[in-house]
Amino acid sequence: MGWKGTVRSVGAAIRAADRDAKRRQRELEKERKYYEKMELLEQAEYEVRAFENYIEIIQSIHKECSDKIDWHRIAGSESPEVPQKATHNETKASYLASQYKPGLFDRLLGRTERRRAKINEAIPLAKEEDEKEYQSRLEEWKEQVADWEESKGMADRLLNGDKDSKIQVIRELNPFTEISNIGSSIFFQIHPNSIVEAEINVHGTDIVPSKKKTLLQSGKLSMKNMPKGEFYEIYQDYVCSCALRIANELFAILPENMVVVTAVDELLNAKTGHLEELPILSVAIPRKSLESLNMQMVDPSDSMDNFIHEMSFKKTTGFNPVDRVNITILSNEYQRR
């Protein structure tokens, strides 16, 4: 199992305590089975609840994170202790043999020696049982040592800045399942001075609904074009929420000090007149700054002011292309510290 066994709790990257929006989503999915049997007004109410739940989910991606791996603790851990051979079965059998006293019927029937021999025969069998138990513990110990050696080796390499090991951890643990399921793809690059860069293609127009579902006073379903201002605000929260989640996940699985997240999406390039994949948010997130935030209460868009970032956004027109945060400058600043 190796280091992946040591951090198996991270495996799915999702904590057992899901946020409320995800729990409600599962409840709605169960209700979906009975959708065809619902009355029209019930269907309308369901459609609105499902719509509102989806909006909440894409604006609160940052509220979840995998459990943190303490690579420093793993690197400083000691090898599992060698198991000691126990003799409790043999000791018990020997004690019973020493305590044997023939009873009246044993003496009358002349079976004292047979009973004594049978009791004594249990001693070597008990000794064999002790040996089996010891060999079993020894095999478990060997596996634990192999797991410890692999885990400690990985921790040492990560703390020494080994690029390949960092990429391996990201690929093996893959804590970005939720974001990928929504439809965003992520790419990574490892930089010196404990900086990792992530680029996410947010596919905003595919993720944020263009139609808004509401209930009329009559109880019927109304579906109209999403107001531009509301659409862009949801879009901005979604993008910033993804950036926070990516940084938090990377800090959870890697011993990095800084994560730079750049979100790209398809925008019109005014210079060429063509749609191109262009940066719409680029943010440098230090570990300490992120850890100081209350992820359950923070507004993802407003939280960008806590970090060095590039973002050009207007409620009326949405995102404009921006330059990426300069990784070289960040790296040099950390090197001077």
Side-chain angles (χ1 to χ4, degrees):
M1 292 174 65
W3 62 271
K4 286 176 283 185
T6 303
V7 298
R8 58 185 174 273
S9 61
V10 182
I14 303 297
R15 294 183 178 182
D18 287 345
R19 53 190 161 97
D20 291 339
K22 294 299 288 297
R23 285 197 293 269
R24 285 197 293 273
Q25 182 186 38
R26 288 195 296 271
E27 292 169 359
L28 288 166
E29 288 171 352
K30 291 179 181 178
E31 290 184 37
R32 185 74 186 177
K33 297 177 182 178
Y34 308 101
Y35 183 83
E36 298 301 331
K37 298 180 181 180
M38 294 179 184
E39 299 291 338
L40 289 178
L41 295 183
E42 290 178 320
Q43 289 181 349
E45 183 183 354
Y46 173 85
E47 290 287 349
V48 172
R49 286 192 290 118
F51 169 79
E52 292 174 346
N53 174 254
Y54 176 75
I55 295 299
E56 183 179 359
I57 286 175
I58 64 175
Q59 290 180 296
S60 59
I61 294 170
H62 61 284
K63 291 185 178 182
E64 282 185 17
C65 185
S66 305
D67 293 328
K68 180 181 178 181
I69 304 173
D70 191 345
W71 292 110
H72 290 277
R73 181 189 61 78
I74 295 174
S77 63
E78 296 182 355
S79 176
E81 293 185 4
V82 181
Q84 300 300 312
K85 188 173 183 178
T87 59
H88 56 274
N89 289 313
E90 180 184 1
T91 300
K92 181 179 178 180
S94 298
Y95 175 77
L96 291 175
S98 67
Q99 296 298 307
Y100 171 67
K101 293 180 181 179
L104 176 62
F105 286 103
D106 286 342
R107 294 196 300 271
L108 289 175
L109 298 175
R111 59 188 186 188
T112 298
E113 293 305 318
R114 290 200 306 275
R115 288 292 300 275
R116 192 187 304 279
K118 187 174 182 179
I119 293 174
N120 286 334
E121 286 175 1
I123 296 176
L125 295 177
K127 188 174 182 180
E128 289 179 8
E129 188 63 27
D130 285 332
E131 180 64 23
K132 289 180 181 179
E133 292 180 3
Y134 171 67
Q135 291 299 327
S136 177
R137 291 197 304 273
L138 196 62
E139 288 302 313
E140 290 180 4
W141 171 77
K142 289 178 181 178
E143 292 179 2
Q144 291 171 359
V145 169
D147 182 57
W148 170 79
E149 289 176 343
E150 188 176 359
S151 300
K152 189 177 185 305
M154 175 61 76
D156 290 338
R157 291 192 297 274
L158 288 174
L159 295 174
N160 287 327
D162 183 70
K163 177 180 178 180
D164 292 337
S165 296
K166 293 178 182 180
I167 293 174
Q168 182 183 356
V169 168
I170 294 173
R171 287 177 176 172
E172 293 287 352
L173 295 183
N174 186 26
F176 306 101
T177 304
E178 183 181 5
I179 299 175
S180 298
N181 287 343
I182 288 176
S184 301
S185 52
I186 311 172
F187 306 93
F188 303 95
Q189 187 173 353
I190 307 301
H191 295 275
N193 299 320
S194 196
I195 299 175
V196 59
E197 180 183 9
E199 179 180 298
I200 175 172
N201 192 321
V202 292
H203 304 289
T205 55
D206 295 329
I207 302 302
V208 182
S210 60
K211 301 288 185 179
K212 182 176 182 179
K213 296 179 180 180
T214 57
L215 283 177
L216 299 174
Q217 287 187 345
S218 63
K220 293 183 178 180
L221 178 66
S222 171
M223 189 163 63
K224 296 181 179 179
N225 289 333
M226 178 87 72
K228 285 296 183 181
E230 186 174 357
F231 174 88
Y232 288 131
E233 285 187 351
I234 295 171
Y235 185 10
Q236 184 188 30
D237 275 346
Y238 160 65
V239 171
C240 296
S241 184
C242 286
L244 291 174
R245 175 68 176 275
I246 291 169
N248 219 8
E249 291 287 2
L250 288 171
F251 286 139
I253 65 173
L254 294 175
E256 303 303 277
N257 293 324
M258 173 81 74
V259 171
V260 176
V261 182
T262 298
V264 301
D265 208 347
E266 197 172 60
L267 294 179
L268 178 66
N269 187 333
K271 295 180 180 179
T272 65
H274 297 294
L275 290 174
E276 297 180 18
E277 297 290 345
L278 299 171
I280 58 174
L281 168 69
S282 189
V283 54
I285 304 178
R287 178 185 290 272
K288 290 183 178 179
S289 298
L290 190 65
E291 289 176 346
S292 69
L293 302 182
N294 182 346
M295 284 296 186
Q296 299 304 312
M297 300 300 294
V298 72
D299 180 281
S301 297
D302 292 343
S303 73
M304 294 297 106
D305 289 337
N306 294 292
F307 317 112
I308 297 173
H309 73 284
E310 298 289 342
M311 179 170 62
S312 176
F313 175 84
K314 293 181 181 179
K315 293 182 180 180
T316 54
T317 57
F319 286 103
N320 290 312
V322 296
D323 293 328
R324 297 172 183 267
V325 169
N326 193 310
I327 302 263
T328 303
I329 294 176
L330 286 173
S331 182
N332 290 339
E333 286 181 359
Y334 267 89
Q335 196 170 23
R336 287 195 298 268
R337 292 179 182 180

